[in-house]
Amino acid sequence: MPTPDKAAAVAELTDKFRSSNAAVLTEYRGLTVAQLKQLRRSLGENSEYAVVKNTLTKIAANEAGINTLDDLFTGPTAVAFVTGDPVESAKGLRDFAKENPNLVIKGGVLDGKALSADEIKKLADLESREVLLAKLAGAMKGKQSQAAALFQALPSKFVRTAEALRAKKAEQGGAE
């Protein structure tokens, strides 16, 4: 029979899994408290990094409908719950892991889809959401300019063609 404390911990973790866009599981063995504090800062404002108990977290993930992470709950585990841009947090984890090889990215989940450690690293290589949106807006603006030029060219070309026809008819009419 679970204790009230464990039930509360599972409920809290379940809520975090449900309210997060992404969750990344890591192994933190060998990191100092100061390094963990630095890692939490590097993840950004929209992430929460929590050292968790494997059994309780596995139960919470399953209750939240995430059963693809079961194999990753071995050894000392910590979870980065991401509520904002997952790219920013993935970059923070990747960069911190480069500087501190004791941090091992095990895998995670993004919008209900399981991610391997390699996929999380690829996610970190993406540009931020804001940059991608700016590029999309620029591309759309360029396409709108092209469409506007095309729409302006059609009546102009029609007028030039009609004028050429009129001139040709006038020339043929005057030649007779």
Side-chain angles (χ1 to χ4, degrees), residues 152-162:
Q152 288 174 345
L154 289 175
S156 165
K157 189 172 183 178
F158 176 74
V159 168
R160 286 194 305 272
T161 305

Side-chain angles (χ1 to χ4, degrees), residues 41-104:
R41 278 195 303 259
S42 70
L43 290 177
E45 297 175 6
N46 298 324
S47 298
E48 181 183 341
Y49 190 74
V51 174
V52 295
K53 291 187 179 272
N54 287 339
T55 307
L56 300 180
T57 309
K58 187 175 180 178
I59 293 168
N62 288 329
E63 285 184 11
I66 303 168
N67 51 13
T68 56
L69 302 176
D70 290 353
D71 297 340
L72 303 178
F73 291 111
T74 56
T77 303
V79 182
F81 294 103
V82 183
T83 55
D85 184 11
V87 174
E88 179 185 353
S89 297
K91 283 181 182 185
L93 284 168
R94 179 201 59 197
D95 295 345
F96 189 86
K98 281 182 184 177
E99 295 173 15
N100 301 285
N102 287 337
L103 180 73
V104 178

Side-chain angles (χ1 to χ4, degrees), residues 109-125:
V109 63
L110 173 64
D111 293 328
K113 181 188 174 288
L115 297 176
S116 67
D118 289 335
E119 290 173 319
I120 292 171
K121 290 174 184 168
K122 286 179 186 175
L123 180 67
D125 292 336

Side-chain angles (χ1 to χ4, degrees), residues 21-43:
N21 298 343
V24 179
L25 275 66
T26 63
E27 183 174 323
Y28 63 93
R29 184 179 308 179
L31 293 177
T32 64
V33 173
Q35 288 172 323
L36 287 174
K37 187 176 181 180
Q38 180 185 358
L39 172 59
R40 285 184 174 98
R41 278 195 303 259
S42 70
L43 290 177

